[in-house]
Amino acid sequence: MIGDDKVLIWTAAEVEAGAVPAEHLPYTREILAWAGRYLVSPHAELGRNGPVCPYTQPSLHKGLFHLAALTATDDGTDVRDAIESLRSWYERLSTRISPADRELLTILLVLPRLDYQDSTGLDGLQREAKDKFVNDGLMIGQFHPVCDQPGLWNEKFKALRAPVPLLAIRKLVVFDLPFLMDDAVHAESYLRRFAPDIPPRIRDQLVKRLVSTRKSLQSA
């Protein structure tokens, strides 16, 4: 276990072994079981071949899958503080593994005290944090029992539903562009990182076109 006065972090192996305080063990074990059952498997409604999340199984296999919990109660201030602390811990953990494996480093922050019937609060926290995360080369996503965000390949498939509210953190990768096209700042951060040789003026035009195309497709 690692952590501080805001957040505690365990490896999947520690969760499996029960090396987690009693107040956190049921929820971390539930999410670990869900990840090993749902995220690593294909789904008939996904809209493409392969598992729901192609990174989860390699992450688990290499011991780079982590679960985290707050040290205090899950009110909005505590979650915001924990997100910022978790971002710092993610960077520290990244330095301990090989560059080739860094895209597999994953942390799920389990938030069992958030509302299970309304994802508004969790959605807002994710949106609030996303600008900074994407700018730093990281992704933060929300999972919730009633999350209504549509899937990329099938809008009827609610891919981000989990039994317990949580936030997932991992490295930004080149395949993440579809997740960033709704926001010009996010698309610009992506292109600045993955397409540095594109002239800034052309990059700005591309960002505007990507965002406009995404919005047109959503309204069609």
Side-chain angles (χ1 to χ4, degrees):
M1 182 191 77
I2 57 175
D4 51 31
D5 62 341
K6 301 292 190 303
V7 66
L8 300 173
I9 306 169
W10 302 274
T11 64
E14 288 174 324
V15 174
E16 286 180 344
V20 175
E23 64 267 33
H24 301 302
L25 186 59
Y27 303 108
T28 52
R29 274 189 165 168
E30 182 177 11
I31 289 301
L32 182 59
W34 163 81
R37 180 180 65 252
Y38 170 72
L39 292 180
V40 305
S41 301
H43 195 288
E45 298 179 9
L46 183 58
R48 61 160 172 79
N49 296 326
V52 172
C53 175
Y55 297 96
T56 299
Q57 188 62 62
S59 177
L60 287 165
H61 178 71
K62 293 208 168 190
L64 298 175
F65 196 89
H66 298 71
L67 295 105
L70 304 190
T71 58
T73 57
D74 301 37
D75 63 47
T77 301
D78 289 331
V79 177
R80 289 184 181 91
D81 290 345
I83 291 170
E84 184 61 26
S85 180
L86 207 57
R87 191 173 65 86
S88 298
W89 277 109
Y90 189 97
E91 297 289 359
R92 277 181 260 183
L93 286 170
S94 293
T95 65
R96 303 177 187 178
I97 60 180
S98 69
D101 286 338
R102 284 175 187 167
E103 68 179 31
L104 299 177
L105 178 61
T106 303
I107 305 177
L108 303 187
L109 176 62
V110 185
L111 300 165
R113 295 190 184 92
L114 292 187
D115 192 333
Y116 280 51
Q117 305 302 318
D118 184 357
S119 66
T120 304
L122 183 64
D123 293 340
L125 289 164
Q126 185 264 350
R127 283 194 301 270
E128 184 180 307
K130 191 172 180 179
D131 284 355
K132 190 170 185 179
F133 271 71
V134 171
N135 187 64
D136 289 346
L138 301 175
M139 282 290 285
I140 181 168
Q142 80 281 28
F143 289 80
H144 191 278
V146 297
C147 183
D148 277 334
Q149 186 167 327
L152 285 177
W153 300 273
N154 178 6
E155 291 191 353
K156 294 181 180 179
F157 179 52
K158 310 303 181 183
L160 301 184
R161 289 189 174 174
V164 179
L166 64 89
L167 290 166
I169 297 172
R170 62 169 174 79
K171 185 180 178 183
L172 185 72
V173 297
V174 70
F175 303 106
D176 283 329
L177 181 58
F179 298 106
L180 307 173
M181 287 171 56
D182 290 337
D183 186 285
V185 173
H186 298 160
E188 166 63 20
S189 294
Y190 171 93
L191 290 172
R192 189 171 61 248
R193 183 170 298 275
F194 292 109
D197 295 329
I198 297 176
R201 181 176 60 82
I202 303 300
R203 193 167 62 216
D204 290 344
Q205 292 175 353
L206 181 57
V207 167
K208 291 176 183 177
R209 181 170 296 182
L210 286 170
V211 173
S212 176
T213 300
R214 178 69 168 178
K215 289 180 179 178
S216 296
L217 291 172
Q218 289 177 332
S219 62

